[in-house]
Amino acid sequence: MIETERGTATPYGTGAEQVWVLRPTAGEAKSVVVYLHGYGAYLPFAWHLRWMDHLLEKGSIVLFPRYQPGLDDPFVLTPFDLAEGLRTGFDAIEYEGEPVVAAGFSLGAALAVIYAARAEEWGVPPPRSVYSIFPVDPVLVDIELDLSTIEETSVLLLVGDHDEVVGQDGAREILRGLVRLPPSSKRIRVIRTTGDLFADHEAPTAIHDPIVRETFWTPLDRLVEASRED
């Protein structure tokens, strides 16, 4: 177990099936956030940690699945390891029906949607909302993905107007696949470059910048709060 500023982080499992469980030290957890990292950023102790502590302070348990043994794991293997990591994580927290929100960045942004689509198949609690930041094309991750299974989950997709790594195609592919969600439950938000924020692919990682935190953290906070009201 490792202590963070606002809680503790404990690993469960090994290798690509590992999951880190971050628990708040103050107050009772009122929700679960499943955070899915970008390619290769498989530990919650880089730029993620300050965001994780923020979520702990707001009263969420955070599950941070690894789903990669190293830097050379193909995209198409990650859903299998994610499924095992999620099962391990929900067992570790002795899940009792708390609202779940899935959030992800880049590769993880596509996996957050895949998790929502396959939750029943995987035997894990489905997320009430998905927050997908600059997703890669989900076809690169799960070639048999059927997003029509997502019926009661809201999905918010973010794209950056200067993202030259994944662009906007992945988000638009996801949006097209959400055929059973009403327009009010699925949307793309374009993050536009301003004098205070350059909206390239790495923009969400600059977490010491208050503009970045407001841009990328606040929507997730709102989704978590809304999930607790359902």
Side-chain angles (χ1 to χ4, degrees):
M1 183 178 71
I2 297 173
E3 292 188 0
T4 74
E5 184 177 339
R6 300 295 181 182
T8 60
T10 306
Y12 294 85
T14 59
E17 296 179 353
Q18 186 180 67
V19 59
W20 285 85
V21 176
L22 292 88
R23 295 181 172 90
T25 51
E28 182 179 354
K30 297 174 284 187
S31 51
V32 179
V33 174
V34 174
Y35 186 87
L36 304 174
H37 61 78
Y39 188 79
Y42 49 75
L43 294 175
F45 305 112
W47 66 272
H48 313 97
L49 186 55
R50 189 168 178 182
W51 197 356
M52 303 301 100
D53 270 328
H54 170 79
L55 294 169
L56 298 181
E57 186 178 21
K58 292 283 188 178
S60 289
I61 290 174
V62 179
L63 301 186
F64 192 102
R66 177 167 180 157
Y67 53 79
Q68 286 188 283
L71 295 176
D72 58 350
D73 200 34
F75 278 14
V76 294
L77 296 182
T78 57
F80 301 98
D81 294 317
L82 170 60
E84 188 59 40
L86 288 174
R87 286 190 286 265
T88 298
F90 281 110
D91 285 346
I93 66 173
E94 299 180 344
Y95 178 74
E96 295 184 340
E98 299 87 349
V100 179
V101 175
F105 168 62
S106 194
L107 168 61
L111 284 169
V113 180
I114 291 168
Y115 159 36
R118 295 193 178 274
E120 182 176 0
E121 174 188 337
W122 291 351
V124 294
R128 297 189 183 182
S129 296
V130 171
Y131 182 45
S132 180
I133 305 171
F134 302 175
V136 303
D137 189 331
V139 174
L140 299 175
V141 185
D142 188 340
I143 59 175
E144 297 181 353
L145 182 62
D146 179 7
L147 297 183
S148 69
T149 60
I150 301 177
E151 299 184 65
E152 299 180 357
T153 300
S154 66
V155 178
L156 173 58
L157 301 146
L158 266 56
V159 296
D161 67 355
H162 280 73
D163 187 343
E164 297 181 355
V165 176
V166 302
Q168 300 184 12
D169 289 347
R172 301 196 183 283
E173 182 67 25
I174 290 168
L175 192 67
R176 283 191 291 271
L178 298 171
V179 294
R180 294 195 178 180
L181 289 185
S184 60
S185 295
K186 55 184 178 183
R187 54 202 161 103
I188 290 180
R189 179 180 300 166
V190 180
I191 305 302
R192 302 194 181 280
T193 297
T194 67
D196 297 315
L197 174 68
F198 185 64
D200 66 353
H201 192 66
E202 298 304 316
T205 70
I207 48 82
H208 296 289
D209 185 331
I211 300 298
V212 168
R213 295 198 300 273
E214 174 66 23
T215 300
F216 295 102
W217 293 15
T218 299
L220 179 55
D221 289 346
R222 290 173 178 162
L223 290 174
V224 171
E225 286 298 324
S227 75
R228 295 172 182 172
E229 297 169 0
D230 290 346

